[in-house]
Amino acid sequence: DSGVTQTPKHLITATGQRVTLRCSPRSGDLSVYWYQQSLDQGLQFLIQYYNGEERAKGNILERFSAQQFPDLHSELNLSSLELGDSALYFCASSVAPRGPSTDTQYFGPGTRLTVL
Amino acid sequence: DAKTTQPPSMDCAEGRAANLPCNHSTISGNEYVYWYRQIHSQGPQYIIHGLKNNETNEMASLIITEDRKSSTLILPHATLRDTAVYYCIVISGNQFYFGTGTSLTVIP
């Protein structure tokens, strides 16, 4: 158990809908990262938040957005869903923003999103 | 961005050492090498990381060549539970770039 929790575990929805995925980081971790893992693309970094502020952006679609709240939990919002958005979505957390020093990321169990 | 190259798959006999290679020829001086593994769609699990020196922890050893262009993850006594996809990652700024990894199968 990494200490990172994600809800829900599974989510099934229809095209065009909007969903919210939730992540609670490990106690004491200030950074939250979101990743998407689809069958044909592997693990793709989406976005990072550090202490409530956006820190880094990866391959995140404009239909997707995220935020980190004062209690440090994070939500990933996916809108106008398409079939191709079906994937595993992982959240990870770390103590601090990455810089010259190391900062290990610990991953949650993921949310499996199925868009029908 | 530094990229990594790993063999797509490997087999290892149970109880033997598993040696998983990774090439990262474009790594720069301050970039770390991290290893994670993913067991059947679970969240990736941290294994070990290093910069220049060899590292060992309770899970594995990491051997980094002197020129830092390649590394090897060693699982000293592989068990069936070590069957997973192993990712070698070079950090670039704030981001992890996961490649396709090596699918390790431990055979009884």
Side-chain angles (χ1 to χ4, degrees), chain B residues 17-54:
Chain B
N19 296 283
L20 292 92
C22 178
N23 288 323
H24 30 78
S25 58
T26 60
I27 193 170
S28 60
N30 62 351
E31 290 180 326
Y32 284 77
V33 179
Y34 271 76
W35 283 83
Y36 280 75
R37 72 181 182 184
Q38 188 174 25
I39 300 172
H40 189 55
S41 298
Q42 297 178 20
Q45 178 189 22
Y46 167 76
I47 301 173
I48 199 167
H49 71 276
L51 182 62
K52 295 179 182 177
N53 300 320
N54 299 337

PDB file of all heavy atoms in Angstrom, chain B residues 17-54:
ATOM      1  N   ALA B  17      18.944 -14.814 -10.310  1.00  0.00           N
ATOM      2  CA  ALA B  17      18.998 -13.355 -10.402  1.00  0.00           C
ATOM      3  C   ALA B  17      18.412 -12.905 -11.736  1.00  0.00           C
ATOM      4  O   ALA B  17      18.712 -13.487 -12.779  1.00  0.00           O
ATOM      5  CB  ALA B  17      20.428 -12.862 -10.258  1.00  0.00           C
ATOM      6  N   ALA B  18      17.613 -11.868 -11.676  1.00  0.00           N
ATOM      7  CA  ALA B  18      17.095 -11.250 -12.895  1.00  0.00           C
ATOM      8  C   ALA B  18      17.868  -9.965 -13.135  1.00  0.00           C
ATOM      9  O   ALA B  18      17.939  -9.115 -12.249  1.00  0.00           O
ATOM     10  CB  ALA B  18      15.607 -10.956 -12.751  1.00  0.00           C
ATOM     11  N   ASN B  19      18.452  -9.854 -14.315  1.00  0.00           N
ATOM     12  CA  ASN B  19      19.237  -8.668 -14.665  1.00  0.00           C
ATOM     13  C   ASN B  19      18.542  -7.936 -15.800  1.00  0.00           C
ATOM     14  O   ASN B  19      18.485  -8.435 -16.926  1.00  0.00           O
ATOM     15  CB  ASN B  19      20.655  -9.062 -15.103  1.00  0.00           C
ATOM     16  CG  ASN B  19      21.429  -9.710 -13.983  1.00  0.00           C
ATOM     17  OD1 ASN B  19      21.915  -9.043 -13.082  1.00  0.00           O
ATOM     18  ND2 ASN B  19      21.521 -11.023 -14.026  1.00  0.00           N
ATOM     19  N   LEU B  20      18.008  -6.770 -15.504  1.00  0.00           N
ATOM     20  CA  LEU B  20      17.231  -6.023 -16.495  1.00  0.00           C
ATOM     21  C   LEU B  20      18.041  -4.816 -16.956  1.00  0.00           C
ATOM     22  O   LEU B  20      18.310  -3.902 -16.179  1.00  0.00           O
ATOM     23  CB  LEU B  20      15.898  -5.568 -15.916  1.00  0.00           C
ATOM     24  CG  LEU B  20      14.904  -6.682 -15.608  1.00  0.00           C
ATOM     25  CD1 LEU B  20      15.035  -7.181 -14.187  1.00  0.00           C
ATOM     26  CD2 LEU B  20      13.489  -6.203 -15.858  1.00  0.00           C
ATOM     27  N   PRO B  21      18.403  -4.782 -18.246  1.00  0.00           N
ATOM     28  CA  PRO B  21      19.235  -3.684 -18.741  1.00  0.00           C
ATOM     29  C   PRO B  21      18.404  -2.486 -19.209  1.00  0.00           C
ATOM     30  O   PRO B  21      17.232  -2.639 -19.570  1.00  0.00           O
ATOM     31  CB  PRO B  21      19.956  -4.322 -19.934  1.00  0.00           C
ATOM     32  CG  PRO B  21      18.960  -5.312 -20.458  1.00  0.00           C
ATOM     33  CD  PRO B  21      18.184  -5.813 -19.260  1.00  0.00           C
ATOM     34  N   CYS B  22      19.065  -1.343 -19.216  1.00  0.00           N
ATOM     35  CA  CYS B  22      18.432  -0.120 -19.710  1.00  0.00           C
ATOM     36  C   CYS B  22      19.518   0.770 -20.312  1.00  0.00           C
ATOM     37  O   CYS B  22      20.557   0.984 -19.703  1.00  0.00           O
ATOM     38  CB  CYS B  22      17.732   0.606 -18.569  1.00  0.00           C
ATOM     39  SG  CYS B  22      16.947   2.163 -19.052  1.00  0.00           S
ATOM     40  N   ASN B  23      19.260   1.262 -21.507  1.00  0.00           N
ATOM     41  CA  ASN B  23      20.151   2.235 -22.129  1.00  0.00           C
ATOM     42  C   ASN B  23      19.554   3.632 -22.018  1.00  0.00           C
ATOM     43  O   ASN B  23      18.363   3.830 -22.287  1.00  0.00           O
ATOM     44  CB  ASN B  23      20.388   1.901 -23.604  1.00  0.00           C
ATOM     45  CG  ASN B  23      21.272   0.685 -23.771  1.00  0.00           C
ATOM     46  OD1 ASN B  23      22.206   0.496 -23.007  1.00  0.00           O
ATOM     47  ND2 ASN B  23      20.960  -0.154 -24.736  1.00  0.00           N
ATOM     48  N   HIS B  24      20.377   4.563 -21.602  1.00  0.00           N
ATOM     49  CA  HIS B  24      19.942   5.972 -21.514  1.00  0.00           C
ATOM     50  C   HIS B  24      21.132   6.827 -21.961  1.00  0.00           C
ATOM     51  O   HIS B  24      21.691   7.600 -21.168  1.00  0.00           O
ATOM     52  CB  HIS B  24      19.464   6.335 -20.113  1.00  0.00           C
ATOM     53  CG  HIS B  24      20.107   5.582 -18.992  1.00  0.00           C
ATOM     54  ND1 HIS B  24      21.381   5.883 -18.523  1.00  0.00           N
ATOM     55  CD2 HIS B  24      19.662   4.532 -18.271  1.00  0.00           C
ATOM     56  CE1 HIS B  24      21.674   5.055 -17.545  1.00  0.00           C
ATOM     57  NE2 HIS B  24      20.664   4.215 -17.366  1.00  0.00           N
ATOM     58  N   SER B  25      21.470   6.709 -23.222  1.00  0.00           N
ATOM     59  CA  SER B  25      22.710   7.301 -23.732  1.00  0.00           C
ATOM     60  C   SER B  25      22.684   8.820 -23.754  1.00  0.00           C
ATOM     61  O   SER B  25      23.740   9.451 -23.831  1.00  0.00           O
ATOM     62  CB  SER B  25      23.002   6.765 -25.138  1.00  0.00           C
ATOM     63  OG  SER B  25      21.926   7.057 -25.993  1.00  0.00           O
ATOM     64  N   THR B  26      21.501   9.422 -23.705  1.00  0.00           N
ATOM     65  CA  THR B  26      21.421  10.890 -23.773  1.00  0.00           C
ATOM     66  C   THR B  26      21.230  11.525 -22.394  1.00  0.00           C
ATOM     67  O   THR B  26      20.914  12.705 -22.301  1.00  0.00           O
ATOM     68  CB  THR B  26      20.270  11.324 -24.692  1.00  0.00           C
ATOM     69  OG1 THR B  26      19.038  10.817 -24.163  1.00  0.00           O
ATOM     70  CG2 THR B  26      20.473  10.809 -26.100  1.00  0.00           C
ATOM     71  N   ILE B  27      21.438  10.763 -21.371  1.00  0.00           N
ATOM     72  CA  ILE B  27      21.227  11.279 -20.013  1.00  0.00           C
ATOM     73  C   ILE B  27      22.197  12.418 -19.736  1.00  0.00           C
ATOM     74  O   ILE B  27      23.355  12.402 -20.187  1.00  0.00           O
ATOM     75  CB  ILE B  27      21.391  10.137 -18.981  1.00  0.00           C
ATOM     76  CG1 ILE B  27      20.865  10.555 -17.621  1.00  0.00           C
ATOM     77  CG2 ILE B  27      22.846   9.686 -18.903  1.00  0.00           C
ATOM     78  CD1 ILE B  27      20.767   9.396 -16.637  1.00  0.00           C
ATOM     79  N   SER B  28      21.725  13.418 -19.018  1.00  0.00           N
ATOM     80  CA  SER B  28      22.615  14.520 -18.678  1.00  0.00           C
ATOM     81  C   SER B  28      23.056  14.382 -17.222  1.00  0.00           C
ATOM     82  O   SER B  28      22.564  13.558 -16.477  1.00  0.00           O
ATOM     83  CB  SER B  28      21.921  15.855 -18.919  1.00  0.00           C
ATOM     84  OG  SER B  28      20.774  15.965 -18.131  1.00  0.00           O
ATOM     85  N   GLY B  29      24.025  15.245 -16.882  1.00  0.00           N
ATOM     86  CA  GLY B  29      24.762  15.056 -15.637  1.00  0.00           C
ATOM     87  C   GLY B  29      23.932  15.031 -14.365  1.00  0.00           C
ATOM     88  O   GLY B  29      24.298  14.366 -13.404  1.00  0.00           O
ATOM     89  N   ASN B  30      22.841  15.757 -14.334  1.00  0.00           N
ATOM     90  CA  ASN B  30      22.066  15.833 -13.093  1.00  0.00           C
ATOM     91  C   ASN B  30      20.755  15.051 -13.146  1.00  0.00           C
ATOM     92  O   ASN B  30      19.870  15.266 -12.329  1.00  0.00           O
ATOM     93  CB  ASN B  30      21.789  17.297 -12.748  1.00  0.00           C
ATOM     94  CG  ASN B  30      20.956  17.982 -13.811  1.00  0.00           C
ATOM     95  OD1 ASN B  30      20.729  17.421 -14.877  1.00  0.00           O
ATOM     96  ND2 ASN B  30      20.503  19.178 -13.536  1.00  0.00           N
ATOM     97  N   GLU B  31      20.619  14.204 -14.135  1.00  0.00           N
ATOM     98  CA  GLU B  31      19.390  13.416 -14.260  1.00  0.00           C
ATOM     99  C   GLU B  31      19.548  12.060 -13.578  1.00  0.00           C
ATOM    100  O   GLU B  31      20.531  11.357 -13.796  1.00  0.00           O
ATOM    101  CB  GLU B  31      19.025  13.227 -15.736  1.00  0.00           C
ATOM    102  CG  GLU B  31      18.570  14.514 -16.399  1.00  0.00           C
ATOM    103  CD  GLU B  31      18.215  14.336 -17.863  1.00  0.00           C
ATOM    104  OE1 GLU B  31      18.858  13.519 -18.543  1.00  0.00           O
ATOM    105  OE2 GLU B  31      17.292  15.029 -18.332  1.00  0.00           O
ATOM    106  N   TYR B  32      18.564  11.715 -12.776  1.00  0.00           N
ATOM    107  CA  TYR B  32      18.565  10.461 -12.055  1.00  0.00           C
ATOM    108  C   TYR B  32      17.932   9.362 -12.887  1.00  0.00           C
ATOM    109  O   TYR B  32      17.072   9.613 -13.725  1.00  0.00           O
ATOM    110  CB  TYR B  32      17.783  10.614 -10.748  1.00  0.00           C
ATOM    111  CG  TYR B  32      18.527  11.358  -9.678  1.00  0.00           C
ATOM    112  CD1 TYR B  32      18.635  12.740  -9.716  1.00  0.00           C
ATOM    113  CD2 TYR B  32      19.124  10.682  -8.626  1.00  0.00           C
ATOM    114  CE1 TYR B  32      19.321  13.427  -8.720  1.00  0.00           C
ATOM    115  CE2 TYR B  32      19.810  11.358  -7.629  1.00  0.00           C
ATOM    116  CZ  TYR B  32      19.910  12.731  -7.690  1.00  0.00           C
ATOM    117  OH  TYR B  32      20.593  13.403  -6.709  1.00  0.00           O
ATOM    118  N   VAL B  33      18.311   8.138 -12.571  1.00  0.00           N
ATOM    119  CA  VAL B  33      17.683   6.961 -13.160  1.00  0.00           C
ATOM    120  C   VAL B  33      16.791   6.336 -12.095  1.00  0.00           C
ATOM    121  O   VAL B  33      17.240   6.046 -10.977  1.00  0.00           O
ATOM    122  CB  VAL B  33      18.728   5.933 -13.620  1.00  0.00           C
ATOM    123  CG1 VAL B  33      18.023   4.700 -14.207  1.00  0.00           C
ATOM    124  CG2 VAL B  33      19.674   6.542 -14.646  1.00  0.00           C
ATOM    125  N   TYR B  34      15.540   6.142 -12.438  1.00  0.00           N
ATOM    126  CA  TYR B  34      14.575   5.513 -11.534  1.00  0.00           C
ATOM    127  C   TYR B  34      14.096   4.201 -12.146  1.00  0.00           C
ATOM    128  O   TYR B  34      13.977   4.077 -13.362  1.00  0.00           O
ATOM    129  CB  TYR B  34      13.347   6.412 -11.359  1.00  0.00           C
ATOM    130  CG  TYR B  34      13.446   7.417 -10.242  1.00  0.00           C
ATOM    131  CD1 TYR B  34      14.205   8.569 -10.376  1.00  0.00           C
ATOM    132  CD2 TYR B  34      12.745   7.228  -9.054  1.00  0.00           C
ATOM    133  CE1 TYR B  34      14.276   9.497  -9.358  1.00  0.00           C
ATOM    134  CE2 TYR B  34      12.810   8.152  -8.029  1.00  0.00           C
ATOM    135  CZ  TYR B  34      13.572   9.282  -8.181  1.00  0.00           C
ATOM    136  OH  TYR B  34      13.636  10.193  -7.163  1.00  0.00           O
ATOM    137  N   TRP B  35      13.784   3.271 -11.274  1.00  0.00           N
ATOM    138  CA  TRP B  35      13.143   2.026 -11.713  1.00  0.00           C
ATOM    139  C   TRP B  35      11.837   1.845 -10.956  1.00  0.00           C
ATOM    140  O   TRP B  35      11.789   1.989  -9.731  1.00  0.00           O
ATOM    141  CB  TRP B  35      14.054   0.819 -11.477  1.00  0.00           C
ATOM    142  CG  TRP B  35      15.157   0.684 -12.478  1.00  0.00           C
ATOM    143  CD1 TRP B  35      16.359   1.330 -12.471  1.00  0.00           C
ATOM    144  CD2 TRP B  35      15.165  -0.153 -13.638  1.00  0.00           C
ATOM    145  NE1 TRP B  35      17.116   0.946 -13.554  1.00  0.00           N
ATOM    146  CE2 TRP B  35      16.412   0.028 -14.279  1.00  0.00           C
ATOM    147  CE3 TRP B  35      14.253  -1.052 -14.196  1.00  0.00           C
ATOM    148  CZ2 TRP B  35      16.766  -0.649 -15.450  1.00  0.00           C
ATOM    149  CZ3 TRP B  35      14.601  -1.727 -15.346  1.00  0.00           C
ATOM    150  CH2 TRP B  35      15.843  -1.517 -15.969  1.00  0.00           C
ATOM    151  N   TYR B  36      10.803   1.530 -11.734  1.00  0.00           N
ATOM    152  CA  TYR B  36       9.495   1.203 -11.192  1.00  0.00           C
ATOM    153  C   TYR B  36       9.060  -0.114 -11.824  1.00  0.00           C
ATOM    154  O   TYR B  36       9.557  -0.511 -12.873  1.00  0.00           O
ATOM    155  CB  TYR B  36       8.454   2.270 -11.549  1.00  0.00           C
ATOM    156  CG  TYR B  36       8.480   3.499 -10.685  1.00  0.00           C
ATOM    157  CD1 TYR B  36       9.480   4.459 -10.845  1.00  0.00           C
ATOM    158  CD2 TYR B  36       7.507   3.728  -9.717  1.00  0.00           C
ATOM    159  CE1 TYR B  36       9.506   5.591 -10.048  1.00  0.00           C
ATOM    160  CE2 TYR B  36       7.519   4.859  -8.931  1.00  0.00           C
ATOM    161  CZ  TYR B  36       8.521   5.785  -9.097  1.00  0.00           C
ATOM    162  OH  TYR B  36       8.540   6.913  -8.308  1.00  0.00           O
ATOM    163  N   ARG B  37       8.100  -0.753 -11.187  1.00  0.00           N
ATOM    164  CA  ARG B  37       7.487  -1.918 -11.826  1.00  0.00           C
ATOM    165  C   ARG B  37       5.973  -1.833 -11.676  1.00  0.00           C
ATOM    166  O   ARG B  37       5.458  -1.187 -10.762  1.00  0.00           O
ATOM    167  CB  ARG B  37       8.007  -3.225 -11.239  1.00  0.00           C
ATOM    168  CG  ARG B  37       7.529  -3.552  -9.819  1.00  0.00           C
ATOM    169  CD  ARG B  37       8.142  -4.845  -9.358  1.00  0.00           C
ATOM    170  NE  ARG B  37       7.687  -5.235  -8.029  1.00  0.00           N
ATOM    171  CZ  ARG B  37       8.142  -6.300  -7.376  1.00  0.00           C
ATOM    172  NH1 ARG B  37       9.078  -7.076  -7.922  1.00  0.00           N
ATOM    173  NH2 ARG B  37       7.670  -6.594  -6.173  1.00  0.00           N
ATOM    174  N   GLN B  38       5.300  -2.489 -12.613  1.00  0.00           N
ATOM    175  CA  GLN B  38       3.847  -2.481 -12.609  1.00  0.00           C
ATOM    176  C   GLN B  38       3.364  -3.916 -12.752  1.00  0.00           C
ATOM    177  O   GLN B  38       3.676  -4.576 -13.763  1.00  0.00           O
ATOM    178  CB  GLN B  38       3.288  -1.604 -13.732  1.00  0.00           C
ATOM    179  CG  GLN B  38       1.794  -1.409 -13.646  1.00  0.00           C
ATOM    180  CD  GLN B  38       1.276  -0.430 -14.674  1.00  0.00           C
ATOM    181  OE1 GLN B  38       1.880  -0.217 -15.723  1.00  0.00           O
ATOM    182  NE2 GLN B  38       0.146   0.187 -14.389  1.00  0.00           N
ATOM    183  N   ILE B  39       2.630  -4.344 -11.779  1.00  0.00           N
ATOM    184  CA  ILE B  39       2.094  -5.706 -11.776  1.00  0.00           C
ATOM    185  C   ILE B  39       0.650  -5.640 -12.229  1.00  0.00           C
ATOM    186  O   ILE B  39      -0.191  -5.077 -11.536  1.00  0.00           O
ATOM    187  CB  ILE B  39       2.210  -6.342 -10.372  1.00  0.00           C
ATOM    188  CG1 ILE B  39       3.682  -6.406  -9.952  1.00  0.00           C
ATOM    189  CG2 ILE B  39       1.574  -7.718 -10.345  1.00  0.00           C
ATOM    190  CD1 ILE B  39       3.902  -6.827  -8.513  1.00  0.00           C
ATOM    191  N   HIS B  40       0.416  -6.141 -13.422  1.00  0.00           N
ATOM    192  CA  HIS B  40      -0.927  -6.336 -13.952  1.00  0.00           C
ATOM    193  C   HIS B  40      -1.899  -5.193 -13.655  1.00  0.00           C
ATOM    194  O   HIS B  40      -2.837  -5.337 -12.897  1.00  0.00           O
ATOM    195  CB  HIS B  40      -1.513  -7.653 -13.427  1.00  0.00           C
ATOM    196  CG  HIS B  40      -2.814  -8.016 -14.107  1.00  0.00           C
ATOM    197  ND1 HIS B  40      -2.924  -8.118 -15.467  1.00  0.00           N
ATOM    198  CD2 HIS B  40      -4.043  -8.255 -13.605  1.00  0.00           C
ATOM    199  CE1 HIS B  40      -4.172  -8.422 -15.781  1.00  0.00           C
ATOM    200  NE2 HIS B  40      -4.876  -8.505 -14.667  1.00  0.00           N
ATOM    201  N   SER B  41      -1.611  -4.009 -14.228  1.00  0.00           N
ATOM    202  CA  SER B  41      -2.518  -2.862 -14.168  1.00  0.00           C
ATOM    203  C   SER B  41      -2.657  -2.247 -12.776  1.00  0.00           C
ATOM    204  O   SER B  41      -3.497  -1.382 -12.562  1.00  0.00           O
ATOM    205  CB  SER B  41      -3.915  -3.222 -14.696  1.00  0.00           C
ATOM    206  OG  SER B  41      -3.831  -3.605 -16.031  1.00  0.00           O
ATOM    207  N   GLN B  42      -1.842  -2.685 -11.815  1.00  0.00           N
ATOM    208  CA  GLN B  42      -1.805  -1.987 -10.529  1.00  0.00           C
ATOM    209  C   GLN B  42      -1.005  -0.705 -10.700  1.00  0.00           C
ATOM    210  O   GLN B  42      -0.379  -0.483 -11.740  1.00  0.00           O
ATOM    211  CB  GLN B  42      -1.155  -2.870  -9.459  1.00  0.00           C
ATOM    212  CG  GLN B  42      -1.914  -4.154  -9.165  1.00  0.00           C
ATOM    213  CD  GLN B  42      -1.190  -5.003  -8.145  1.00  0.00           C
ATOM    214  OE1 GLN B  42      -0.348  -4.534  -7.387  1.00  0.00           O
ATOM    215  NE2 GLN B  42      -1.525  -6.286  -8.106  1.00  0.00           N
ATOM    216  N   GLY B  43      -1.013   0.134  -9.695  1.00  0.00           N
ATOM    217  CA  GLY B  43      -0.207   1.344  -9.763  1.00  0.00           C
ATOM    218  C   GLY B  43       1.275   1.010  -9.796  1.00  0.00           C
ATOM    219  O   GLY B  43       1.714   0.075  -9.128  1.00  0.00           O
ATOM    220  N   PRO B  44       2.053   1.732 -10.570  1.00  0.00           N
ATOM    221  CA  PRO B  44       3.493   1.488 -10.590  1.00  0.00           C
ATOM    222  C   PRO B  44       4.093   1.560  -9.190  1.00  0.00           C
ATOM    223  O   PRO B  44       3.711   2.404  -8.383  1.00  0.00           O
ATOM    224  CB  PRO B  44       4.030   2.610 -11.484  1.00  0.00           C
ATOM    225  CG  PRO B  44       2.878   2.937 -12.385  1.00  0.00           C
ATOM    226  CD  PRO B  44       1.658   2.775 -11.523  1.00  0.00           C
ATOM    227  N   GLN B  45       5.024   0.662  -8.933  1.00  0.00           N
ATOM    228  CA  GLN B  45       5.651   0.546  -7.607  1.00  0.00           C
ATOM    229  C   GLN B  45       7.100   0.976  -7.703  1.00  0.00           C
ATOM    230  O   GLN B  45       7.852   0.481  -8.556  1.00  0.00           O
ATOM    231  CB  GLN B  45       5.555  -0.898  -7.115  1.00  0.00           C
ATOM    232  CG  GLN B  45       6.214  -1.153  -5.774  1.00  0.00           C
ATOM    233  CD  GLN B  45       6.276  -2.635  -5.427  1.00  0.00           C
ATOM    234  OE1 GLN B  45       6.209  -3.496  -6.304  1.00  0.00           O
ATOM    235  NE2 GLN B  45       6.417  -2.936  -4.151  1.00  0.00           N
ATOM    236  N   TYR B  46       7.509   1.884  -6.863  1.00  0.00           N
ATOM    237  CA  TYR B  46       8.893   2.340  -6.819  1.00  0.00           C
ATOM    238  C   TYR B  46       9.812   1.200  -6.405  1.00  0.00           C
ATOM    239  O   TYR B  46       9.503   0.434  -5.470  1.00  0.00           O
ATOM    240  CB  TYR B  46       9.034   3.499  -5.838  1.00  0.00           C
ATOM    241  CG  TYR B  46      10.453   3.843  -5.473  1.00  0.00           C
ATOM    242  CD1 TYR B  46      11.275   4.533  -6.364  1.00  0.00           C
ATOM    243  CD2 TYR B  46      10.973   3.471  -4.240  1.00  0.00           C
ATOM    244  CE1 TYR B  46      12.576   4.855  -6.019  1.00  0.00           C
ATOM    245  CE2 TYR B  46      12.279   3.790  -3.895  1.00  0.00           C
ATOM    246  CZ  TYR B  46      13.079   4.479  -4.795  1.00  0.00           C
ATOM    247  OH  TYR B  46      14.372   4.785  -4.460  1.00  0.00           O
ATOM    248  N   ILE B  47      10.953   1.098  -7.096  1.00  0.00           N
ATOM    249  CA  ILE B  47      11.931   0.072  -6.728  1.00  0.00           C
ATOM    250  C   ILE B  47      13.200   0.711  -6.179  1.00  0.00           C
ATOM    251  O   ILE B  47      13.604   0.463  -5.046  1.00  0.00           O
ATOM    252  CB  ILE B  47      12.292  -0.827  -7.932  1.00  0.00           C
ATOM    253  CG1 ILE B  47      11.050  -1.516  -8.492  1.00  0.00           C
ATOM    254  CG2 ILE B  47      13.337  -1.873  -7.513  1.00  0.00           C
ATOM    255  CD1 ILE B  47      11.311  -2.287  -9.771  1.00  0.00           C
ATOM    256  N   ILE B  48      13.833   1.553  -6.983  1.00  0.00           N
ATOM    257  CA  ILE B  48      15.145   2.082  -6.627  1.00  0.00           C
ATOM    258  C   ILE B  48      15.483   3.230  -7.558  1.00  0.00           C
ATOM    259  O   ILE B  48      14.892   3.351  -8.636  1.00  0.00           O
ATOM    260  CB  ILE B  48      16.212   0.960  -6.708  1.00  0.00           C
ATOM    261  CG1 ILE B  48      17.469   1.298  -5.918  1.00  0.00           C
ATOM    262  CG2 ILE B  48      16.524   0.605  -8.160  1.00  0.00           C
ATOM    263  CD1 ILE B  48      18.392   0.102  -5.718  1.00  0.00           C
ATOM    264  N   HIS B  49      16.413   4.094  -7.149  1.00  0.00           N
ATOM    265  CA  HIS B  49      16.897   5.118  -8.051  1.00  0.00           C
ATOM    266  C   HIS B  49      18.358   5.415  -7.751  1.00  0.00           C
ATOM    267  O   HIS B  49      18.873   5.063  -6.679  1.00  0.00           O
ATOM    268  CB  HIS B  49      16.064   6.397  -7.966  1.00  0.00           C
ATOM    269  CG  HIS B  49      16.255   7.173  -6.693  1.00  0.00           C
ATOM    270  ND1 HIS B  49      15.575   6.884  -5.543  1.00  0.00           N
ATOM    271  CD2 HIS B  49      17.037   8.254  -6.408  1.00  0.00           C
ATOM    272  CE1 HIS B  49      15.927   7.731  -4.593  1.00  0.00           C
ATOM    273  NE2 HIS B  49      16.816   8.576  -5.085  1.00  0.00           N
ATOM    274  N   GLY B  50      19.033   6.057  -8.710  1.00  0.00           N
ATOM    275  CA  GLY B  50      20.437   6.390  -8.521  1.00  0.00           C
ATOM    276  C   GLY B  50      20.895   7.475  -9.471  1.00  0.00           C
ATOM    277  O   GLY B  50      20.224   7.763 -10.468  1.00  0.00           O
ATOM    278  N   LEU B  51      22.034   8.058  -9.169  1.00  0.00           N
ATOM    279  CA  LEU B  51      22.609   9.112 -10.006  1.00  0.00           C
ATOM    280  C   LEU B  51      23.909   8.643 -10.656  1.00  0.00           C
ATOM    281  O   LEU B  51      24.020   8.606 -11.869  1.00  0.00           O
ATOM    282  CB  LEU B  51      22.867  10.360  -9.172  1.00  0.00           C
ATOM    283  CG  LEU B  51      23.429  11.575  -9.924  1.00  0.00           C
ATOM    284  CD1 LEU B  51      22.457  12.056 -10.986  1.00  0.00           C
ATOM    285  CD2 LEU B  51      23.757  12.699  -8.943  1.00  0.00           C
ATOM    286  N   LYS B  52      24.877   8.308  -9.827  1.00  0.00           N
ATOM    287  CA  LYS B  52      26.166   7.873 -10.362  1.00  0.00           C
ATOM    288  C   LYS B  52      26.619   6.562  -9.738  1.00  0.00           C
ATOM    289  O   LYS B  52      27.131   5.688 -10.410  1.00  0.00           O
ATOM    290  CB  LYS B  52      27.241   8.923 -10.082  1.00  0.00           C
ATOM    291  CG  LYS B  52      27.035  10.240 -10.785  1.00  0.00           C
ATOM    292  CD  LYS B  52      28.140  11.216 -10.436  1.00  0.00           C
ATOM    293  CE  LYS B  52      27.895  12.558 -11.102  1.00  0.00           C
ATOM    294  NZ  LYS B  52      28.936  13.548 -10.718  1.00  0.00           N
ATOM    295  N   ASN B  53      26.397   6.454  -8.444  1.00  0.00           N
ATOM    296  CA  ASN B  53      26.909   5.295  -7.725  1.00  0.00           C
ATOM    297  C   ASN B  53      25.918   4.148  -7.780  1.00  0.00           C
ATOM    298  O   ASN B  53      24.730   4.346  -7.971  1.00  0.00           O
ATOM    299  CB  ASN B  53      27.175   5.654  -6.267  1.00  0.00           C
ATOM    300  CG  ASN B  53      28.198   6.760  -6.141  1.00  0.00           C
ATOM    301  OD1 ASN B  53      29.180   6.795  -6.864  1.00  0.00           O
ATOM    302  ND2 ASN B  53      27.942   7.682  -5.231  1.00  0.00           N
ATOM    303  N   ASN B  54      26.434   2.952  -7.596  1.00  0.00           N
ATOM    304  CA  ASN B  54      25.555   1.805  -7.492  1.00  0.00           C
ATOM    305  C   ASN B  54      24.744   1.905  -6.205  1.00  0.00           C
ATOM    306  O   ASN B  54      25.218   2.439  -5.201  1.00  0.00           O
ATOM    307  CB  ASN B  54      26.375   0.515  -7.517  1.00  0.00           C
ATOM    308  CG  ASN B  54      27.148   0.363  -8.807  1.00  0.00           C
ATOM    309  OD1 ASN B  54      26.793   0.940  -9.835  1.00  0.00           O
ATOM    310  ND2 ASN B  54      28.217  -0.411  -8.762  1.00  0.00           N
TER     311      ASN B  54
END
